[in-house]
Amino acid sequence: AQRVTQPEKLLSVFKGAPVELKCNYSYSGSPELFWYVQYSRQRLQLLLRHISRESIKGFTADLNKGETSFHLKKPFAQEEDSAMYYCALSVLDDYKLSFGAGTTVTVRA
Amino acid sequence: GAGVSQSPRYKVAKRGQDVALRCDPISGHVSLFWYQQALGQGPEFLTYFQNEAQLDKSGLPSDRFFAERPEGSVSTLKIQRTQQEDSAVYLCASSLGSGSGNTEAFFGQGTRLTVV
């Protein structure tokens, strides 16, 4: 069965500093990887997915199949980036998402 | 409405009570999912519907949990004889496509269930 690990529960950075959220997965095939974000008092929403190769709100994530990782990065954190971030995985021809436990990011002024 | 709507937002139930949680997906969305999110954890899959068909209920933790989507739109998650371990946020999500996990899932605000 597939599994997603986010080793950091909490991450605190200063405004303007780089931020990296770690995500590792275990799955023997080719997964689809996603990052979801939940801002305070808002619903869970998709931030980005690896197949689209987009940069959303300055965030990027690269799928590294050799290291089975999908770390989320932003070179200059902003206060509005403070939120809960979840890494998620789905597998080919499946429909459900497997989520990590989440990382709470706090960006300090 | 513009998004997935869940009701009630909060529910307090006495142990042993039955509860029903409602989800209104985005109109026209084929796929509907229920997830359970315990405190400090990520969402865990419960069940999946494609239109009115429940294709996967492998995540339902016990036979006290039952979900339906009779007309392929609104869905209800029912929990019978609630226990304290059922306390969690129950999330509903819908997506336009079917079958593949890479179709974007849109989540509701969730229902926070507290069993006392």
Side-chain angles (χ1 to χ4, degrees), chain A residues 8-28:
Chain A
E8 303 136 331
K9 276 283 193 186
L10 301 169
L11 200 56
S12 181
V13 299
F14 283 106
K15 178 182 173 181
V19 60
E20 180 179 34
L21 289 74
K22 291 185 168 50
C23 172
N24 290 89
Y25 66 90
S26 61
Y27 178 63
S28 57

Side-chain angles (χ1 to χ4, degrees), chain B residues 43-65:
Chain B
E44 296 271 352
F45 170 79
L46 293 177
T47 187
Y48 164 68
F49 289 86
Q50 187 178 111
N51 295 308
E52 69 279 1
Q54 188 176 21
L55 298 188
D56 188 340
K57 53 182 180 179
S58 63
L60 296 177
S62 77
D63 59 8
R64 295 186 295 104
F65 287 71

Side-chain angles (χ1 to χ4, degrees), chain B residues 67-106:
Chain B
E68 60 182 4
R69 192 186 185 197
E71 297 178 358
S73 179
V74 171
S75 177
T76 304
L77 176 67
K78 298 179 180 177
I79 309 173
Q80 297 177 321
R81 305 181 302 281
T82 52
Q83 303 295 315
Q84 283 192 315
E85 62 263 28
D86 300 334
S87 295
V89 174
Y90 290 84
L91 295 171
C92 177
S94 70
S95 66
L96 184 60
S98 62
S100 173
N102 64 11
T103 303
E104 181 176 352
F106 294 85

Side-chain angles (χ1 to χ4, degrees), chain B residues 28-51:
Chain B
H29 276 199
V30 169
S31 296
L32 185 145
F33 309 81
W34 284 98
Y35 289 84
Q36 179 190 60
Q37 186 172 20
L39 190 64
Q41 301 297 317
E44 296 271 352
F45 170 79
L46 293 177
T47 187
Y48 164 68
F49 289 86
Q50 187 178 111
N51 295 308

Side-chain angles (χ1 to χ4, degrees), chain A residues 28-65:
Chain A
S28 57
S30 294
E32 302 284 356
L33 272 297
F34 307 81
W35 278 98
Y36 277 80
V37 61
Q38 187 167 26
Y39 301 103
S40 179
R41 298 188 190 87
Q42 294 188 26
R43 64 190 66 200
L44 197 61
Q45 58 187 283
L46 179 66
L47 179 62
L48 56 79
R49 68 187 90 178
H50 92 271
I51 58 170
S52 63
R53 298 184 178 274
E54 290 178 303
S55 172
I56 306 294
K57 299 185 179 182
F59 284 98
T60 59
D62 291 318
L63 178 60
N64 186 323
K65 291 186 178 182

